[in-house]
Amino acid sequence: MQIFKVGGAVRDRLLGKPVTDVDWVVVGATTEEMLAKGYRPVGADFPVFLHPKSGEEYALARTERKSGRGYGGFTFHASPEVTLEEDLIRRDLTINAMAEDDQQNLTDPYHGQRDLEARVLRHVSPAFAEDPLRVLRVARFAARYAEQGFSIAPETLALMSQLSDSGELEALTAERSWKEISRALMENQPQVFIEVLRECGALKVLMPEVNALFGVPQPEIHHPEIDSGIHTLSVLEQSALHKQPLTVRWACLLHDLGKGLTPEEEWPRHIAHEHKGLKLIKAVNARFKAPKDCQELALLVGQYHTHGHRALELKASTLLELLQSFDVYRRPQRFEEFIAACEMDARGRKGLEQRSYPQADYLRGAATVARGVAVQPLLEKGFKGPELGEALKRERLKALKTYKEASAC
């Protein structure tokens, strides 16, 4: 039995990056031997075990053969005869197909170290084209390592395009797709993920609503970058620069989908794009089974982001309706994330990335004022039930009018 550290742990050590997750491959062992040593089996598809003390994953060396569509369409074979090189060749990229023993002696049959030094993301073998999930994975790695100057090898991009055209992407489950998308959005340059998907033709398959934004103009006076797709990429880039959470980044990606529905004869204006986009946002949310908090924020930002930009001009009654829509009294964090998404939208414009966004503090102040209206005095006056709700609304409106007048001075 031989044990090797593999994949990301080896790659990140060679890059000088912190190693967080460690995976191991065991060569020359059987399931019975692993169980006898106290390893705990996990997973039904192939032999993976948890170390009895560290809890880290140890997988028996295995080969795989395409047997169906999608990410799960593979038959695996694990036995003591499978070599380390045979196990490594089934991996996606050369930089992920390296192994090392406990003395850090490197096994690198597919020249991953050379590609690390050359800053190239390159597939290991033609079998890359058998797994559609790898399109998303490579795009995610491109987003992760863009800052280090990595690019995708032309021949690998060609295979990604081939996969995008094959119909295999449609076989991906929502859960697997979302796992890759959510991880990619949390990278330092998530816009690169979208750019790569678009370049290889995967974006029009996975997110045609986002793909439709490219080539759609906006009024140059408000959007010097003009193109709606480029704007979306810039907003996503700003969300990463400002370390926003996944909910905000997802909302930033989807906030302008309605602009893709505007008839060409109406360009560059996009009247009511906020409401038109809601059905598209719902469709994308459902397609990837996004978490509930991501779904809710994306819809709210899509519907109300222009309200955020016009906050200083809104009537007190409209401002109150906005606050009510977000339930700022019980869910203040969601409104804070809405403000963040609006600010990212405002900054995601060419040459305006550093412009201040006074609407943010104004909206926070309005929420504080509305939350500050006390219920007890109304109860003491005898209000209850629906009448109490109406009285509370009147008091909040009065407070917001005072706040608006004071802010204008």
Side-chain angles (χ1 to χ4, degrees), residues 103-176:
Q103 301 299 311
Q104 291 191 344
N105 295 311
L106 191 68
T107 298
D108 182 17
Y110 308 109
H111 311 296
Q113 189 172 25
R114 181 186 66 191
D115 283 341
L116 272 185
E117 293 169 355
R119 298 296 193 255
V120 173
L121 301 174
R122 190 191 316 275
H123 63 284
V124 177
S125 77
F128 175 95
E130 295 177 351
D131 184 355
L133 190 67
R134 289 176 170 175
V135 173
L136 291 167
R137 278 178 55 82
V138 174
R140 173 166 63 84
F141 280 117
R144 174 180 297 179
Y145 295 119
E147 290 180 330
Q148 282 78 48
F150 276 78
S151 61
I152 302 172
E155 60 271 28
T156 302
L157 194 62
L159 283 181
M160 292 167 68
S161 298
Q162 177 183 320
L163 266 170
S164 299
D165 293 337
S166 70
E168 282 274 323
L169 291 177
E170 288 94 329
L172 290 174
T173 65
E175 292 77 11
R176 292 298 307 182

Side-chain angles (χ1 to χ4, degrees), residues 29 76 183 207 252 345 372 383:
F76 296 94
R183 292 177 70 182
M207 299 185 198
C252 286
D345 185 26
F383 289 106

Side-chain angles (χ1 to χ4, degrees), residues 183-382:
R183 292 177 70 182
L185 291 180
M186 292 309 295
E187 299 291 357
N188 287 336
Q189 294 204 28
Q191 77 281 2
V192 173
F193 174 72
I194 302 299
E195 289 172 339
V196 169
L197 292 183
R198 182 166 178 256
E199 188 175 1
C200 71
L203 190 62
K204 65 184 178 185
V205 178
L206 296 168
M207 299 185 198
E209 301 87 351
V210 176
N211 191 68
L213 295 175
F214 291 89
V216 175
Q218 305 165 103
E220 187 174 1
I221 187 171
H222 300 302
H223 288 277
E225 71 286 351
I226 301 177
D227 189 284
S228 297
I230 299 301
H231 168 64
T232 296
L233 294 179
S234 299
V235 176
L236 196 53
E237 181 179 15
Q238 288 297 315
S239 74
L241 286 172
H242 291 269
K243 309 297 182 186
Q244 299 296 347
L246 177 61
T247 47
V248 174
R249 299 188 191 203
W250 182 241
C252 286
L253 177 63
L254 305 185
H255 78 285
D256 263 351
L257 292 188
K259 291 179 179 177
L261 297 176
T262 304
E264 287 189 33
E265 58 269 20
E266 296 180 16
W267 290 353
R269 301 179 67 201
H270 298 279
I271 299 170
H273 76 275
E274 305 91 344
H275 295 283
K276 292 177 183 177
L278 294 182
K279 63 181 180 182
L280 301 183
I281 296 173
K282 288 177 182 177
V284 179
N285 277 335
R287 187 178 309 134
F288 299 111
K289 296 183 180 178
K292 186 177 179 181
D293 56 347
C294 288
Q295 292 198 31
E296 290 179 349
L297 187 67
L299 284 165
L300 287 165
V301 170
Q303 184 171 359
Y304 292 113
H305 62 276
T306 51
H307 276 53
H309 301 327
R310 294 174 50 245
L312 302 175
E313 308 161 23
L314 296 180
K315 296 186 296 184
S317 58
T318 307
L319 194 54
L320 178 59
E321 289 173 8
L322 179 66
L323 297 174
Q324 302 274 84
S325 298
F326 280 85
D327 192 7
V328 296
Y329 318 107
R330 292 181 298 179
R331 301 187 63 178
Q333 182 58 33
R334 185 167 66 175
F335 191 61
E336 186 61 38
E337 290 178 353
F338 164 74
I339 294 171
C342 289
E343 184 169 358
M344 298 307 99
D345 185 26
R347 291 180 181 274
R349 297 178 295 166
K350 186 178 180 181
L352 304 175
E353 295 85 356
Q354 303 303 320
R355 179 177 284 191
S356 63
Y357 194 70
Q359 296 94 324
D361 285 339
Y362 181 78
L363 288 169
R364 291 188 186 102
T368 300
V369 165
R371 282 194 294 264
V373 174
V375 179
Q376 190 59 37
L378 299 176
L379 291 171
E380 292 171 357
K381 290 180 179 179

